[in-house]
Amino acid sequence: MQGLKLPSSVHSTSSLFPKFAFPIRPTAHAVHSAGLIRRSLAISPCIISCKYFDLKGAHDSHIKGKASVQPITEELIPEKPNDLSVSGDSIRRRFLDFYASRGHKVLPSASLVPDDPTVLLTIAGMLQFKPIFLGKVPRQVPCAATAQRCIRTNDVENVGRTTRHHTFFEMLGNFSFGDYFKKEAIKWAWELSTAELGLPAERLWISVFEDDDEAFEIWHQEVGVPADRIKRMGEDDNFWTSGVTGPCGPCSEIYYDFHPERGTFDADLGDDSRFIEFYNLVFMQYNKKDDGSLEPLKQKNIDTGMGLERVARILQMVPSNYETDLIYPIIEKASELANIPYGLADDSTKLKLKIIGDHMRAIVYLISDGVNPSNIGRGYVVRRLIRRVVRTGRLLGIRGDGRENLEGAFLPAIAEKVIDLGTHIDSDVKARAPRILEEIKREEYRFVQTLERGEELLELMIADALSSAREKGTVPCLAGKDAFLLYDTYGFPVEITVEVAEELGVTVDMNAFDNEMEKQRRRSQAAHHAVKLEVGDDADLTANVPDTEFLGYDTLSARAVIKGLLVNGKSVIQVPEGSEVEVLLDKTPFYAESGGQIADHGLMCVSDGENQQRTVVEIRDVQKSMGNLFVHKGTIKEGVLEVGKEVEAEVDPKLRQWAKVHHTATHLLQSALKKVIGQETSQAGSLVAFDRLRFDFNFHRPLLDDEILEIERLINGWIGDAAVLQTKVMPLTEAKEAGAIAMFGEKYGEEVRVVEVPGVSMELCGGTHVSNTAEIRGFKIISEQGIASGIRRIEAVAGEAFIEYVNSRDYYMKQLCNNLKVKAEEVTTRVDNLLEELRTARNEVSLLRSKAAVYKASTIASKAVLVGSSKEIRVLVESMDDTDADSLKSAAEYLIDSLQDPAAVVLGSSPSEGKVSLVAAFTPGVVELGIQAGKFIGPIAKLCGGGGGGRPNFAQAGGRKPENLSSALEKARSELMEILW
């Protein structure tokens, strides 16, 4: 198979996908001979699966120096203290503990779905702190440390091919928000690497920006790194920028040297065979202006990143990140399913196993964070990764689920291993396991069906290539675009395409295929793979405006002072009547849009006395900016608004009540869904409006009618219970321990607000709610539908909107009863009867039309002409006026049966204004000459502004230009004459 090396254990098969002749049980001697046993056994004996052989005692004997083993590489790796914990979980914990002991607040990993429109996924540890670096949000702590889950797919083709590229990885980071700077960052990074993690100082190299003398001196004079192990590097390598403008600064990296015996002369830190960068320190000290000049930042920041997988590789002394305990157990599970011991696999097979090990981590954590497979955005990332794993597994010969079900999905079995390893990566992943596994299984089944369709399409493409080559007298070649279509749309491996094509004497245009791949790669890299930071004017405009105090939980009106006014984003002192304005107050009763709840509407009024003009501002939106600054957006209806004036801010009480009703109803809905369809379902988005609520949730199928009724029954029962809501503020950890549910997409501080409907619901929520469930009055689901793969949406009404909905439905039902002359309970039966009568009448009309068309066809059969010198072929091309498409088909079938083989029939009609119908029918004798109806009718239909196709012997088409029908039929007649003569 070209471009694909398979293990020698693969036996030939008639299937497109290879199967393996395992199981085998290699001996320890065989494994030793294969070079699998390496010095890394001192730390990670689990690299060799005991499932295939017994190496009991190998670990201990090697530590004591009694074992004689040979590494599979030339690497010289120093012995590590045998009491040093170097597991991935331990490294993560030690990193966080190290910085916690130095005053850093340890914060949880942010979701892989960022709260940032400039990036598709969380691609860096600093992303959650971007608003702080921009000065848009005040820092909550002076410095922090995190272990951030990250996804990057721009280098997906390098996964498994290098020792370090991944789609999913963890970035350990320490951050300073105007607290400490360069000296502390450098010294702590060194102390962590050498004293805490135990890396030999003589194996560490440093890179600095070429002009950053300060960093060089700190590393050399204060830390003590020899000058010949500090490399000055250019802007491309060691100067970090967030974009064309914005925060930037020099960076410094720490590299580990696997081969110090090569010396320092002419050492290249870019040599992956010798060095690996594992810690990057960014000194964010400048702001890049529009003209490219740099100005010092008022607040200098530190942003660092230590790749957990890379450090684990170094400490665990394994050949690549993939053999660490963070990934290898996943690879081992895939090896088990494929029945291929990893240590005995060739490079091509190892590559495939590494791809599975890497991609499955990304898949599991993306789905855990609410990203389900789809054809757009983040969902497409998940879908592409799943498809790549499925086709890679099939290439490895994996069949079945590993539980003796050969028709089962194998991805869930590997995903279970990812989830088992994920306790310290994402504490929620185990609770979400049922949903994750179900979504993965469903997507795998769906894709396998797609793969099978790809096989069928490949057969057609090869047949076309052979047919075209015969006609042109050329070498059969499958177009690169076709091969790419199979690869990209159907997930069909190009190696298989090449192999199958070559077996049938067809080459594949791989240059064109590579061009299509390159185009896709560029599109992928352009799609949100850089974190953009820009310091905008708004940071300066509001620098002196304090946070807005929100009073809206307790009151709907309040006197406040205008602290700032903005028109078109610019700060002003005074705004005249009729202007659109944004108002900043010191305090407000207006709720700002957040947590899915829309903002309050209302009025602001200013009155300085009887002789002063009254000012009225209509507020129709409120948004949060710069952290907790409320921006009131509205129109000045009367008077002039000025900074410093006192206003009476008043929320529309009716609209606020409607929002409160729908927000509490949303909480009840989530609880009801969990009771009816399962606890694993979770929120995937919401909208709390005045007139309705919308709730998106993870579920794999439409809700049944009985389930919808049960959900409504539960919610209306809770409304009738007249339960008094309880709200309290407590520490986030305490709230989670109490079982409070976090709202989708929201970020929380250390103190959170908990809203509880006793015995029913407890959620972290900053929204407004009713005091008693009885205020909701009633609840009704008005629609339930799918909006993406695995995502369902419910729209519902409650309170006053519920009453209006019921009244309007009652009105329409009365109208229907009057028109049909039946009672309400008889409407369904009456409508069913009417529909049946309509269907019967339509069928009768259609039958009559077909009979009329057949009769008309019988009258034109005599117009067929004989074509061909050696073999007479009957050709009939005619217009049938306004005959509809179905009747036209009946006429063509009649004619092809009536005329003797060989015969070709093409009919056209214009059944209605702006519509053309075409049909082509060829007997077997015509098809044998290489003429296919489906291919013939398409170009004819294009002349009428349409298209179509079908089988070789019968095809239909349509168009939108009846005025071109005559010329199109004439074209069909002349082409048939020319081809068949």
Side-chain angles (χ1 to χ4, degrees), residues 276-321:
I276 185 171
E277 174 208 335
F278 67 91
Y279 206 170
N280 182 22
L281 316 177
V282 176
F283 311 124
M284 208 178 293
Q285 62 190 80
Y286 301 115
N287 178 47
K288 192 173 185 179
K289 301 170 70 175
D290 290 335
D291 61 2
S293 62
L294 302 178
E295 62 179 3
L297 283 173
K298 298 176 184 176
Q299 175 180 292
K300 292 180 172 61
N301 303 308
I302 290 291
D303 162 25
T304 79
M306 172 184 276
L308 176 59
E309 291 79 7
R310 298 186 183 196
V311 178
R313 172 200 172 184
I314 296 169
L315 292 176
Q316 293 174 19
M317 303 185 214
V318 290
S320 75
N321 298 359

Short mmCIF file of all heavy atoms in Angstrom, two decimals, residues 276-321:
data_model
loop_
_atom_site.label_atom_id
_atom_site.label_comp_id
_atom_site.label_asym_id
_atom_site.label_seq_id
_atom_site.Cartn_x
_atom_site.Cartn_y
_atom_site.Cartn_z
N ILE A 276 14.50 20.21 23.94
CA ILE A 276 13.06 20.42 23.98
C ILE A 276 12.77 21.62 24.89
O ILE A 276 13.28 21.70 26.01
CB ILE A 276 12.29 19.17 24.48
CG1 ILE A 276 10.78 19.42 24.38
CG2 ILE A 276 12.70 18.79 25.90
CD1 ILE A 276 9.96 18.19 24.64
N GLU A 277 12.02 22.56 24.38
CA GLU A 277 11.61 23.71 25.19
C GLU A 277 10.45 23.27 26.09
O GLU A 277 9.49 22.69 25.62
CB GLU A 277 11.15 24.85 24.28
CG GLU A 277 10.57 26.03 25.06
CD GLU A 277 9.55 26.81 24.25
OE1 GLU A 277 9.61 26.77 23.01
OE2 GLU A 277 8.67 27.42 24.88
N PHE A 278 10.55 23.56 27.39
CA PHE A 278 9.48 23.12 28.27
C PHE A 278 8.90 24.24 29.14
O PHE A 278 7.87 24.05 29.79
CB PHE A 278 9.95 21.96 29.16
CG PHE A 278 11.00 22.33 30.17
CD1 PHE A 278 10.65 22.75 31.45
CD2 PHE A 278 12.35 22.23 29.85
CE1 PHE A 278 11.63 23.08 32.39
CE2 PHE A 278 13.32 22.56 30.78
CZ PHE A 278 12.97 22.99 32.06
N TYR A 279 9.54 25.42 29.17
CA TYR A 279 9.03 26.50 30.03
C TYR A 279 9.26 27.81 29.28
O TYR A 279 10.38 28.13 28.90
CB TYR A 279 9.77 26.50 31.36
CG TYR A 279 9.02 27.08 32.54
CD1 TYR A 279 9.52 26.93 33.84
CD2 TYR A 279 7.83 27.78 32.39
CE1 TYR A 279 8.86 27.44 34.94
CE2 TYR A 279 7.16 28.30 33.49
CZ TYR A 279 7.68 28.13 34.76
OH TYR A 279 7.00 28.64 35.85
N ASN A 280 8.20 28.57 29.10
CA ASN A 280 8.27 29.84 28.37
C ASN A 280 7.82 30.98 29.29
O ASN A 280 6.75 30.90 29.89
CB ASN A 280 7.39 29.78 27.12
CG ASN A 280 7.47 31.05 26.30
OD1 ASN A 280 8.45 31.79 26.39
ND2 ASN A 280 6.46 31.32 25.50
N LEU A 281 8.64 32.01 29.41
CA LEU A 281 8.34 33.16 30.25
C LEU A 281 8.16 34.39 29.35
O LEU A 281 9.07 34.76 28.62
CB LEU A 281 9.48 33.42 31.25
CG LEU A 281 10.08 32.22 31.97
CD1 LEU A 281 11.25 32.68 32.86
CD2 LEU A 281 9.03 31.49 32.80
N VAL A 282 6.98 34.99 29.41
CA VAL A 282 6.71 36.19 28.63
C VAL A 282 6.71 37.39 29.57
O VAL A 282 5.96 37.42 30.56
CB VAL A 282 5.35 36.09 27.90
CG1 VAL A 282 5.05 37.40 27.16
CG2 VAL A 282 5.36 34.92 26.93
N PHE A 283 7.53 38.38 29.24
CA PHE A 283 7.62 39.61 30.04
C PHE A 283 6.80 40.68 29.33
O PHE A 283 7.30 41.38 28.44
CB PHE A 283 9.07 40.03 30.20
CG PHE A 283 9.98 38.92 30.64
CD1 PHE A 283 11.11 38.58 29.89
CD2 PHE A 283 9.71 38.18 31.78
CE1 PHE A 283 11.95 37.55 30.28
CE2 PHE A 283 10.54 37.15 32.19
CZ PHE A 283 11.67 36.82 31.43
N MET A 284 5.55 40.82 29.70
CA MET A 284 4.63 41.73 29.03
C MET A 284 4.88 43.15 29.54
O MET A 284 4.30 43.57 30.54
CB MET A 284 3.19 41.28 29.30
CG MET A 284 2.19 41.64 28.21
SD MET A 284 0.54 41.03 28.60
CE MET A 284 0.78 39.28 28.51
N GLN A 285 5.76 43.88 28.85
CA GLN A 285 6.19 45.17 29.38
C GLN A 285 5.95 46.35 28.44
O GLN A 285 6.14 47.49 28.81
CB GLN A 285 7.69 45.11 29.73
CG GLN A 285 8.62 44.85 28.57
CD GLN A 285 10.05 44.57 29.02
OE1 GLN A 285 10.37 43.45 29.44
NE2 GLN A 285 10.90 45.59 28.96
N TYR A 286 5.50 46.08 27.19
CA TYR A 286 5.27 47.16 26.23
C TYR A 286 3.84 47.12 25.68
O TYR A 286 3.17 46.08 25.71
CB TYR A 286 6.23 47.07 25.04
CG TYR A 286 7.69 47.11 25.41
CD1 TYR A 286 8.50 46.01 25.19
CD2 TYR A 286 8.25 48.27 25.95
CE1 TYR A 286 9.85 46.04 25.52
CE2 TYR A 286 9.60 48.31 26.26
CZ TYR A 286 10.40 47.20 26.06
OH TYR A 286 11.72 47.24 26.38
N ASN A 287 3.44 48.27 25.14
CA ASN A 287 2.23 48.35 24.33
C ASN A 287 2.65 48.78 22.94
O ASN A 287 3.30 49.81 22.75
CB ASN A 287 1.23 49.36 24.91
CG ASN A 287 -0.01 49.47 24.04
OD1 ASN A 287 -0.58 48.46 23.66
ND2 ASN A 287 -0.42 50.69 23.72
N LYS A 288 2.30 47.95 21.94
CA LYS A 288 2.65 48.26 20.55
C LYS A 288 1.59 49.16 19.96
O LYS A 288 0.42 48.80 19.91
CB LYS A 288 2.78 46.97 19.75
CG LYS A 288 3.43 47.16 18.39
CD LYS A 288 3.68 45.81 17.73
CE LYS A 288 4.44 45.97 16.42
NZ LYS A 288 4.69 44.66 15.79
N LYS A 289 1.99 50.33 19.49
CA LYS A 289 1.05 51.32 18.96
C LYS A 289 0.81 51.11 17.46
O LYS A 289 1.46 50.27 16.82
CB LYS A 289 1.59 52.72 19.23
CG LYS A 289 1.81 52.99 20.73
CD LYS A 289 2.56 54.28 20.99
CE LYS A 289 1.73 55.49 20.67
NZ LYS A 289 2.43 56.75 21.05
N ASP A 290 -0.13 51.85 16.91
CA ASP A 290 -0.49 51.71 15.50
C ASP A 290 0.70 51.94 14.57
O ASP A 290 0.79 51.33 13.50
CB ASP A 290 -1.62 52.68 15.13
CG ASP A 290 -2.94 52.29 15.76
OD1 ASP A 290 -3.10 51.09 16.06
OD2 ASP A 290 -3.80 53.17 15.98
N ASP A 291 1.62 52.83 14.96
CA ASP A 291 2.76 53.13 14.09
C ASP A 291 3.92 52.15 14.29
O ASP A 291 4.99 52.31 13.72
CB ASP A 291 3.24 54.56 14.33
CG ASP A 291 3.70 54.79 15.77
OD1 ASP A 291 3.68 53.83 16.58
OD2 ASP A 291 4.06 55.94 16.09
N GLY A 292 3.70 51.12 15.14
CA GLY A 292 4.73 50.11 15.37
C GLY A 292 5.67 50.43 16.50
O GLY A 292 6.50 49.58 16.87
N SER A 293 5.57 51.62 17.05
CA SER A 293 6.46 51.99 18.16
C SER A 293 5.99 51.33 19.45
O SER A 293 4.83 50.94 19.60
CB SER A 293 6.48 53.51 18.33
OG SER A 293 5.18 54.00 18.66
N LEU A 294 6.94 51.21 20.39
CA LEU A 294 6.65 50.56 21.68
C LEU A 294 6.67 51.60 22.79
O LEU A 294 7.55 52.45 22.85
CB LEU A 294 7.70 49.48 21.97
CG LEU A 294 7.86 48.36 20.94
CD1 LEU A 294 8.97 47.40 21.38
CD2 LEU A 294 6.55 47.60 20.76
N GLU A 295 5.67 51.50 23.66
CA GLU A 295 5.64 52.36 24.84
C GLU A 295 5.51 51.45 26.07
O GLU A 295 4.83 50.43 26.02
CB GLU A 295 4.48 53.35 24.78
CG GLU A 295 3.11 52.70 24.75
CD GLU A 295 1.98 53.74 24.72
OE1 GLU A 295 2.30 54.93 24.68
OE2 GLU A 295 0.81 53.33 24.75
N PRO A 296 6.17 51.80 27.17
CA PRO A 296 6.10 50.95 28.37
C PRO A 296 4.66 50.86 28.90
O PRO A 296 3.92 51.84 28.88
CB PRO A 296 7.02 51.67 29.37
CG PRO A 296 7.90 52.52 28.52
CD PRO A 296 7.07 52.94 27.35
N LEU A 297 4.30 49.69 29.33
CA LEU A 297 2.98 49.51 29.95
C LEU A 297 3.01 50.08 31.36
O LEU A 297 4.02 49.98 32.07
CB LEU A 297 2.61 48.03 30.01
CG LEU A 297 2.14 47.35 28.72
CD1 LEU A 297 2.01 45.85 28.95
CD2 LEU A 297 0.83 47.94 28.25
N LYS A 298 1.87 50.67 31.76
CA LYS A 298 1.78 51.17 33.13
C LYS A 298 1.87 50.02 34.12
O LYS A 298 2.45 50.14 35.20
CB LYS A 298 0.45 51.92 33.32
CG LYS A 298 0.30 53.14 32.42
CD LYS A 298 -1.07 53.76 32.58
CE LYS A 298 -1.27 54.93 31.60
NZ LYS A 298 -2.65 55.49 31.68
N GLN A 299 1.26 48.88 33.74
CA GLN A 299 1.28 47.70 34.61
C GLN A 299 1.98 46.58 33.88
O GLN A 299 1.47 46.05 32.90
CB GLN A 299 -0.15 47.28 34.96
CG GLN A 299 -0.24 45.98 35.76
CD GLN A 299 -1.66 45.59 36.09
OE1 GLN A 299 -2.34 46.27 36.87
NE2 GLN A 299 -2.14 44.52 35.48
N LYS A 300 3.17 46.22 34.32
CA LYS A 300 3.92 45.14 33.69
C LYS A 300 3.43 43.80 34.22
O LYS A 300 3.23 43.63 35.42
CB LYS A 300 5.42 45.32 33.94
CG LYS A 300 6.02 46.53 33.23
CD LYS A 300 7.49 46.66 33.51
CE LYS A 300 8.13 47.76 32.66
NZ LYS A 300 7.57 49.09 32.91
N ASN A 301 3.27 42.85 33.31
CA ASN A 301 2.69 41.56 33.65
C ASN A 301 3.62 40.40 33.29
O ASN A 301 4.50 40.54 32.45
CB ASN A 301 1.35 41.36 32.92
CG ASN A 301 0.38 42.49 33.22
OD1 ASN A 301 0.11 42.81 34.36
ND2 ASN A 301 -0.17 43.09 32.17
N ILE A 302 3.36 39.27 33.92
CA ILE A 302 4.08 38.04 33.61
C ILE A 302 3.08 37.00 33.15
O ILE A 302 2.05 36.78 33.79
CB ILE A 302 4.85 37.51 34.84
CG1 ILE A 302 6.02 38.43 35.17
CG2 ILE A 302 5.32 36.08 34.62
CD1 ILE A 302 7.14 38.41 34.14
N ASP A 303 3.40 36.34 32.04
CA ASP A 303 2.58 35.26 31.49
C ASP A 303 3.51 34.11 31.15
O ASP A 303 4.39 34.25 30.31
CB ASP A 303 1.84 35.77 30.23
CG ASP A 303 1.33 34.65 29.35
OD1 ASP A 303 1.10 33.54 29.86
OD2 ASP A 303 1.17 34.89 28.12
N THR A 304 3.37 32.98 31.83
CA THR A 304 4.27 31.85 31.58
C THR A 304 3.49 30.61 31.18
O THR A 304 2.29 30.50 31.43
CB THR A 304 5.12 31.51 32.82
OG1 THR A 304 4.33 30.75 33.74
CG2 THR A 304 5.64 32.77 33.49
N GLY A 305 4.20 29.67 30.58
CA GLY A 305 3.60 28.40 30.23
C GLY A 305 4.61 27.27 30.28
O GLY A 305 5.67 27.34 29.66
N MET A 306 4.29 26.24 31.06
CA MET A 306 5.12 25.03 31.13
C MET A 306 4.28 23.87 30.61
O MET A 306 3.22 23.56 31.15
CB MET A 306 5.57 24.76 32.57
CG MET A 306 6.28 23.41 32.74
SD MET A 306 6.73 23.04 34.45
CE MET A 306 8.29 23.91 34.56
N GLY A 307 4.73 23.23 29.54
CA GLY A 307 3.99 22.11 28.97
C GLY A 307 4.09 20.88 29.86
O GLY A 307 5.17 20.31 30.01
N LEU A 308 2.95 20.47 30.42
CA LEU A 308 2.96 19.34 31.34
C LEU A 308 3.46 18.06 30.66
O LEU A 308 4.26 17.32 31.22
CB LEU A 308 1.55 19.11 31.91
CG LEU A 308 1.38 17.90 32.83
CD1 LEU A 308 2.30 17.99 34.03
CD2 LEU A 308 -0.08 17.76 33.27
N GLU A 309 2.98 17.81 29.46
CA GLU A 309 3.39 16.59 28.76
C GLU A 309 4.89 16.57 28.49
O GLU A 309 5.55 15.52 28.57
CB GLU A 309 2.62 16.45 27.44
CG GLU A 309 1.13 16.17 27.60
CD GLU A 309 0.31 17.40 27.93
OE1 GLU A 309 0.87 18.53 27.91
OE2 GLU A 309 -0.88 17.27 28.21
N ARG A 310 5.46 17.74 28.19
CA ARG A 310 6.89 17.81 27.90
C ARG A 310 7.72 17.55 29.16
O ARG A 310 8.72 16.84 29.12
CB ARG A 310 7.25 19.17 27.31
CG ARG A 310 6.55 19.45 25.98
CD ARG A 310 7.03 20.74 25.35
NE ARG A 310 6.32 21.03 24.11
CZ ARG A 310 6.71 21.91 23.21
NH1 ARG A 310 7.83 22.59 23.40
NH2 ARG A 310 6.00 22.12 22.12
N VAL A 311 7.31 18.16 30.27
CA VAL A 311 8.05 17.95 31.51
C VAL A 311 7.93 16.49 31.95
O VAL A 311 8.90 15.88 32.42
CB VAL A 311 7.52 18.89 32.62
CG1 VAL A 311 8.24 18.63 33.93
CG2 VAL A 311 7.68 20.34 32.21
N ALA A 312 6.74 15.90 31.78
CA ALA A 312 6.56 14.49 32.14
C ALA A 312 7.48 13.61 31.30
O ALA A 312 8.06 12.64 31.81
CB ALA A 312 5.10 14.09 31.94
N ARG A 313 7.63 13.94 30.03
CA ARG A 313 8.52 13.15 29.18
C ARG A 313 9.95 13.18 29.71
O ARG A 313 10.63 12.16 29.77
CB ARG A 313 8.49 13.70 27.75
CG ARG A 313 9.53 13.05 26.85
CD ARG A 313 9.83 13.89 25.63
NE ARG A 313 10.97 13.33 24.89
CZ ARG A 313 11.50 13.89 23.83
NH1 ARG A 313 11.04 15.04 23.37
NH2 ARG A 313 12.54 13.33 23.22
N ILE A 314 10.38 14.38 30.10
CA ILE A 314 11.75 14.52 30.61
C ILE A 314 11.93 13.72 31.91
O ILE A 314 12.87 12.94 32.06
CB ILE A 314 12.08 16.01 30.85
CG1 ILE A 314 12.05 16.78 29.52
CG2 ILE A 314 13.43 16.15 31.51
CD1 ILE A 314 12.09 18.29 29.70
N LEU A 315 11.02 13.93 32.86
CA LEU A 315 11.16 13.31 34.17
C LEU A 315 10.92 11.80 34.14
O LEU A 315 11.52 11.06 34.92
CB LEU A 315 10.21 13.97 35.16
CG LEU A 315 10.52 15.43 35.51
CD1 LEU A 315 9.44 16.00 36.42
CD2 LEU A 315 11.88 15.54 36.19
N GLN A 316 10.05 11.35 33.25
CA GLN A 316 9.75 9.92 33.19
C GLN A 316 10.71 9.18 32.25
O GLN A 316 10.62 7.97 32.10
CB GLN A 316 8.30 9.71 32.76
CG GLN A 316 7.30 10.21 33.79
CD GLN A 316 5.86 10.14 33.33
OE1 GLN A 316 5.52 9.42 32.39
NE2 GLN A 316 4.98 10.87 34.01
N MET A 317 11.62 9.95 31.60
CA MET A 317 12.68 9.37 30.76
C MET A 317 12.11 8.45 29.68
O MET A 317 12.48 7.28 29.57
CB MET A 317 13.67 8.59 31.62
CG MET A 317 14.33 9.39 32.71
SD MET A 317 15.57 8.40 33.53
CE MET A 317 15.43 9.00 35.18
N VAL A 318 11.21 8.96 28.89
CA VAL A 318 10.62 8.18 27.80
C VAL A 318 10.90 8.88 26.47
O VAL A 318 11.23 10.06 26.44
CB VAL A 318 9.10 8.00 28.02
CG1 VAL A 318 8.84 7.07 29.19
CG2 VAL A 318 8.42 9.34 28.25
N PRO A 319 10.78 8.17 25.34
CA PRO A 319 11.20 8.73 24.05
C PRO A 319 10.39 9.93 23.60
O PRO A 319 10.90 10.77 22.86
CB PRO A 319 11.00 7.56 23.08
CG PRO A 319 10.95 6.34 23.92
CD PRO A 319 10.39 6.75 25.22
N SER A 320 9.13 10.01 23.99
CA SER A 320 8.29 11.12 23.54
C SER A 320 7.20 11.38 24.56
O SER A 320 7.02 10.60 25.50
CB SER A 320 7.66 10.82 22.18
OG SER A 320 6.61 9.88 22.33
N ASN A 321 6.45 12.46 24.35
CA ASN A 321 5.33 12.77 25.24
C ASN A 321 4.31 11.65 25.27
O ASN A 321 3.58 11.48 26.25
CB ASN A 321 4.63 14.06 24.78
CG ASN A 321 5.53 15.27 24.81
OD1 ASN A 321 6.68 15.19 25.20
ND2 ASN A 321 5.00 16.41 24.39
#
